[in-house]
């Protein structure tokens, strides 16, 4: 096997900023969403516009954040998570990530609910991340799966979440 070492927030934010400066807005959103929501690479490509639920301010304090619905159980062909679960909710609940809220609104605006949330050709995000990493002097170049491991490390390092909160958000069943 190989190690999937986490990347610091500063490196990931820098990579996203470089993507943005080159007009790669969807790719930058893919990176940030993957890190902040601890997504497996395959989960990102299965998300639909309807998977991202905007805040419902009229519904009260419990509904004031963007929510990502993972592994929707729409029909008999729906795919459960790696741990066999459907309809998991992940909330954009930390203040430090609220900067992303306007971009999430833009990402879903005027788009069909069934459209892919991050609409990129297969392998595109991986290629862009590798290219940006190479240009930033990263050796080896970053891998998509490192994004999943980076989010928890960032949140634990700055004490935004405890280990149980990280485990729940990452949808890990074991402690290893």
């Amino acid at each position: 096997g190989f190690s999937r070492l986490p990347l610091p927030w500063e490196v990931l934010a820098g990579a996203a900023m470089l993507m943005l400066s080159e007009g790669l807005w969807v790719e930058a959103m893919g990176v940030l969403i993957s890190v902040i929501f601890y997504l497996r690479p395959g989960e990102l490509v299965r998300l639909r516009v309807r998977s991202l639920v905007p805040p419902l301010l009229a519904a009260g304090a419990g509904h004031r954040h963007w929510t990502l619905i993972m592994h929707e159980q729409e029909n008999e062909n729906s795919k459960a998570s790696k741990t066999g679960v459907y309809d998991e909710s992940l909330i954009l609940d930390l203040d430090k990530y609220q900067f992303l809220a306007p971009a999430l609104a833009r990402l879903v605006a005027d788009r069909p609910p069934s459209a892919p949330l991050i609409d990129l050709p297969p392998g595109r995000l991986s290629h862009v991340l590798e290219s940006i990493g190479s240009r930033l002097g990263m050796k080896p170049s970053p891998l998509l799966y490192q994004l999943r491991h980076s989010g928890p490390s960032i949140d634990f390092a700055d004490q935004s979440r405890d280990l149980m909160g990280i485990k729940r958000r990452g949808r890990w069943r074991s402690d290893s």
Side-chain angles (χ1 to χ4, degrees), residues 79-157:
K79 187 172 181 349
S81 71
K82 184 177 175 183
T83 56
V85 179
Y86 290 98
D87 299 321
E88 300 166 294
S89 296
L90 302 175
I91 301 169
L92 186 70
D93 56 347
L94 297 178
D95 288 343
K96 68 179 180 177
Y97 295 135
Q98 294 308 311
F99 75 90
L100 196 59
L104 295 177
R106 178 180 166 196
L107 189 60
V108 300
D110 302 318
R111 295 184 61 211
S114 61
L117 183 63
I118 301 297
D119 196 2
L120 295 170
R124 171 72 181 162
L125 186 57
S126 182
H127 171 76
V128 168
L129 187 61
E130 183 179 319
S131 171
I132 295 286
S134 175
R135 289 174 38 214
L136 292 174
M138 298 173 68
K139 292 182 181 166
S141 288
L143 303 170
L144 286 179
Y145 218 98
Q146 284 177 279
L147 303 178
R148 173 168 168 75
H149 292 255
S150 297
S153 295
I154 292 163
D155 289 350
F156 185 73

Side-chain angles (χ1 to χ4, degrees), residues 1-24:
F2 57 91
S3 184
R4 295 174 177 150
L5 295 175
L7 300 168
W9 175 250
E10 295 79 5
V11 170
L12 294 162
M17 290 299 293
L18 190 52
M19 290 175 196
L20 288 171
S21 75
E22 296 178 4
L24 304 174

